[in-house]
Amino acid sequence: MNDLLHRARDIRLAIFDVDGVLTDGKLYFLVDGSEFKTFNTLDGHGIKMLINSGVRTAIISGRKTPVVERRAQNLGIQHLYQGREDKLVVLDELLAELGLDYSEVAYLGDDLPDLPVIRRVGLGMAVASADAFVRQHAHGVTSARGGEGAAREFCELIMRAQGTLAAAQSAYL
């Protein structure tokens, strides 16, 4: 945990995958071909707290769906990239735009397309339900599964390392 806290101290941008991270990884299709996803409210509030603490946020997803755009807007996620298979290319574009270094980025993923980013950033984590190979190569693994509080745990780790978690929590007292 000390290594994770050390890595999380200088994070200025937190990036999330969607399927299997912000959701349980299941794809739900209706008869008409439309798609829906379920999101965890604890994860959502964790992301809002992280944004309020001054950390920028982004989503990079290989799939493209209107429900993810709506969720990102509802949470105030500043940067949304959908339908992008090469997540490392997106990361490089985003870092150039924001003037950030890899060491200032945290990423939470679950599957092989996430692995190049997980290995490149300052804090690359996997959810508990991630592919075993991805978990093996991540800096850390959440105790929660994707879509079941893993993003909240990730956000709180960053805020704890930066000394902003207690203030975020006490705002509700």
Side-chain angles (χ1 to χ4, degrees), residues 154-167:
F154 176 73
C155 292
E156 288 187 358
L157 169 71
I158 295 167
M159 290 185 290
R160 183 176 299 111
Q162 297 181 0
T164 59
L165 180 60

Side-chain angles (χ1 to χ4, degrees), residues 3-173:
D3 180 53
L4 295 180
L5 289 172
H6 177 74
R7 288 177 173 278
R9 271 195 320 219
D10 297 323
I11 297 303
R12 301 290 165 252
L13 172 65
I15 304 174
F16 303 86
D17 177 37
V18 177
D19 295 319
V21 173
L22 297 180
T23 75
D24 62 7
K26 296 175 184 168
L27 301 177
Y28 300 91
F29 294 98
L30 301 176
V31 174
D32 66 4
S34 62
E35 178 180 349
F36 72 92
K37 298 177 185 297
T38 59
F39 296 94
N40 186 299
T41 59
L42 293 175
D43 287 341
H45 196 72
I47 291 170
K48 286 182 177 182
M49 290 191 313
L50 188 63
I51 292 168
N52 289 336
S53 78
V55 175
R56 294 175 176 163
T57 54
I59 286 175
I60 303 175
S61 178
R63 295 178 48 77
K64 184 171 184 173
T65 177
V67 73
V68 172
E69 183 174 350
R70 184 171 182 185
R71 183 65 171 159
Q73 289 173 349
N74 289 344
L75 296 177
I77 292 173
Q78 298 99 332
H79 306 277
L80 174 62
Y81 299 88
Q82 293 195 83
R84 301 290 299 268
E85 295 291 330
D86 192 339
K87 296 181 179 192
L88 199 53
V89 170
V90 177
L91 174 65
D92 288 339
E93 292 170 6
L94 186 55
L95 293 184
E97 176 186 331
L98 299 177
L100 295 175
D101 186 75
Y102 293 120
S103 65
E104 297 174 296
V105 178
Y107 186 89
L108 184 62
D110 73 315
D111 207 351
L112 295 173
D114 301 310
L115 194 52
V117 177
I118 288 172
R119 294 184 49 134
R120 182 73 53 95
V121 298
L123 175 62
M125 292 189 63
V127 298
S129 50
D131 173 79
F133 189 73
V134 174
R135 290 192 318 264
Q136 177 185 348
H137 287 90
H139 297 126
V141 178
T142 63
S143 59
R145 298 173 57 81
E148 297 177 5
R152 176 67 166 263
E153 186 180 331
F154 176 73
C155 292
E156 288 187 358
L157 169 71
I158 295 167
M159 290 185 290
R160 183 176 299 111
Q162 297 181 0
T164 59
L165 180 60
Q169 292 169 328
S170 67
Y172 295 93
L173 294 176

